[in-house]
Each structure stands twice: as structure tokens, then as C-alpha cells.
């Protein structure tokens, strides 16, 4: 098969302890999946269920773990998240079967141009310019569930320059991993290579050039990213 130009290489993530990499298909993000974060963003978690938006697969790749401060924004925020990486999919997956789809987990950041996102919210428009810009989702290596199981409890935190900014626990997620997989599979056909960014705890805030972000998910690992 020939192409009118050379296609870019497939996006993939490293897997802990393996030479084989995890190929990425789509990136789904769960919005407002921690109650305190929903509240800090001005929403009532008891009235609004979590929803989904997307980033692009290549947003995950941040060379040398250096996040370039993006253009057209003066208010870029950090959001620490646990990633769920799928090895199989389907439609209308029952909750009791959902964890069978999970290959592993990773630590990631949902970097957000908050000022541009706010403009889109006010105008009732999509969030892509605030969420899906280049290198907006730095992601660490995937840790297979066969090694660590399926984390349900454990600390989730993010420090900036050694100062704690975000702090929560996986058990605070409004929708747990099986529930989000099952619900999402009713909206889209999930396939191997899909990943889900599972939401962020409260404490999101701005970063500037020169900051060092250190994110952690208990049982999964660490991610250190420099803002440049």
C-alpha cells in the first residue's frame, strides 16, 4: 500500500519490564470524577454524573518528560490522573466483566489551558483547544494488571516544586473503573489500545515555566515532568 505522504509512526507507551510497547488507539477522559474536584470547578457532583471528552493519542508523548508551556494561554493547570489501558473492548460491556478488558495502569497528567477552556464553557463550545493541544497528557509507563492487580484504594497526589498541590485517594472516584468502562462501552465501541484517564482529585492549579511536577498513584508509580 502506498500513501500520498509518509504516515506518522503509531503512538505507543512503554510497558514496565518489557521491550514490547502498548499501542494507543483512543484517549478517553472522565470529567469531574472526584466529588471535591467537581465542587472546586463549580459543579454539584450529586446532580451531574461524570462525562467523557477526548484527547489525541499523540498528546501522551512528551519527549524527555519536558512539558512545553503552550501558546495562547496564561493559565495552564495540572491534573493528576490514573490511566486505565485496555487490552480488549466491545460494546455494552457488563460491569462484572469490565476488568477483564484492562491490560494495566499508568500515571498521567491532564494539562489544561484553563483560560481557554473557560471561554469555551461560557460560549457552550467544545473543549478541544483547552484540553487536546500538543503534549497535553504526559504519561508514564504502563504497569500490567497481572503484576499489581486492579487498584481500588491508594493515594493520588501531585507536588509542584516539592509542595503538595493535589491529594486524594482512588476510593474517592465517583465512578469506579468497572463502571466507567461499562458506561463508556455503551457510547463507543471500545477496542484494544484504548486508554481512559480516570479523573483528578481536588487541588488543580497553575504552573509556570521552570516548575517541576511530581505525580504519584499508589501501587502504580511516579511521574516527574518539567515545565519548559
Amino acid at each position: 500500500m502506498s500513501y500520498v505522504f509518509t504516515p506518522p509512526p503509531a503512538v505507543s507507551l512503554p510497558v514496565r519490564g518489557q521491550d514490547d510497547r502498548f499501542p494507543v488507539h483512543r484517549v478517553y477522559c472522565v470529567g469531574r470524577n472526584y466529588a471535591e474536584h467537581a465542587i472546586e470547578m463549580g459543579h454539584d457532583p450529586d446532580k451531574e454524573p461524570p462525562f467523557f471528552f477526548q484527547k489525541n493519542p499523540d498528546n501522551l508523548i512528551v519527549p524527555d518528560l519536558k512539558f512545553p508551556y503552550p501558546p495562547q494561554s496564561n493559565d495552564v493547570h495540572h491534573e493528576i490522573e490514573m490511566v486505565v489501558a485496555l487490552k480488549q473492548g466491545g460494546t455494552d460491556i457488563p460491569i462484572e466483566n469490565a476488568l477483564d478488558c484492562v491490560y494495566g495502569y499508568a500515571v498521567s497528567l491532564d494539562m489544561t489551558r484553563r483560560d481557554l477552556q473557560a471561554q469555551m464553557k461560557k460560549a457552550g463550545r467544545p473543549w478541544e483547544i483547552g484540553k487536546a493541544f500538543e503534549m497535553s497528557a504526559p504519561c508514564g509507563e504502563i504497569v500490567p494488571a497481572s503484576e499489581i492487580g486492579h487498584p481500588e484504594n491508594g493515594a493520588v497526589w501531585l507536588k509542584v516544586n516539592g509542595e503538595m498541590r493535589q491529594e486524594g485517594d482512588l476510593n474517592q472516584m465517583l465512578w469506579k473503573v468497572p463502571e466507567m468502562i461499562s458506561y463508556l462501552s455503551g457510547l463507543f465501541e471500545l477496542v484494544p489500545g484504548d486508554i481512559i484517564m480516570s479523573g483528578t482529585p481536588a487541588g488543580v492549579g497553575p504552573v509556570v515555566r521552570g516548575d517541576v511536577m511530581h505525580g504519584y498513584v499508589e501501587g502504580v508509580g511516579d511521574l516527574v515532568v518539567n515545565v519548559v
Side-chain angles (χ1 to χ4, degrees), residues 71-98:
Q72 304 297 321
S73 179
N74 296 304
D75 189 24
V76 177
H77 282 205
H78 55 73
E79 297 188 10
I80 183 67
E81 314 222 356
M82 182 179 74
V83 159
V84 183
L86 303 186
K87 63 182 178 182
Q88 63 188 56
T91 57
D92 298 318
I93 299 168
I95 289 177
E96 58 269 22
N97 297 336

Side-chain angles (χ1 to χ4, degrees), residues 3-202:
Y3 300 92
V4 296
F5 59 86
T6 302
V11 175
S12 63
L13 294 170
V15 178
R16 182 180 297 175
Q18 297 186 25
D19 293 330
D20 292 340
R21 295 177 65 89
F22 183 90
V24 178
H25 177 245
R26 289 180 181 170
V27 180
Y28 299 99
C29 306
V30 186
R32 303 170 195 152
N33 199 25
Y34 286 72
E36 290 187 8
H37 174 59
I39 292 169
E40 76 176 348
M41 298 305 293
H43 300 274
D44 186 342
D46 294 328
K47 292 183 178 180
E48 183 179 52
F51 62 94
F52 295 88
F53 58 93
Q54 290 189 29
K55 285 179 178 272
N56 302 312
D58 60 358
N59 295 160
L60 298 165
I61 307 303
V62 179
D64 301 319
L65 292 178
K66 293 180 180 179
F67 169 73
Y69 199 95
Q72 304 297 321
S73 179
N74 296 304
D75 189 24
V76 177
H77 282 205
H78 55 73
E79 297 188 10
I80 183 67
E81 314 222 356
M82 182 179 74
V83 159
V84 183
L86 303 186
K87 63 182 178 182
Q88 63 188 56
T91 57
D92 298 318
I93 299 168
I95 289 177
E96 58 269 22
N97 297 336
L99 289 180
D100 294 338
C101 299
V102 177
Y103 175 77
Y105 300 88
V107 183
S108 184
L109 288 164
D110 172 12
M111 302 303 296
T112 303
R113 292 194 281 204
R114 191 72 75 200
D115 45 1
L116 300 188
Q117 182 195 30
Q119 292 173 20
M120 296 303 101
K121 285 182 177 181
K122 185 175 181 180
R125 296 174 178 172
W127 294 3
E128 275 81 1
I129 65 170
K131 288 286 191 179
F133 56 94
E134 284 73 14
M135 292 178 270
S136 60
C139 190
E141 61 185 4
I142 295 175
V143 185
S146 60
E147 297 181 10
I148 63 169
H150 299 283
E152 298 179 352
N153 303 279
V156 181
W157 52 253
L158 181 117
K159 297 179 181 179
V160 177
N161 303 327
E163 177 186 350
M164 188 69 75
R165 290 277 191 89
Q166 292 183 258
E167 196 169 10
D169 194 286
L170 293 174
N171 63 22
Q172 296 169 344
M173 287 196 293
L174 298 173
W175 284 20
K176 311 306 182 186
V177 172
E179 295 170 321
M180 66 179 75
I181 292 172
S182 178
Y183 183 86
L184 188 58
S185 73
L187 299 171
F188 301 93
E189 181 179 0
L190 300 180
V191 303
D194 285 341
I195 72 169
I196 304 170
M197 299 179 70
S198 61
T200 195

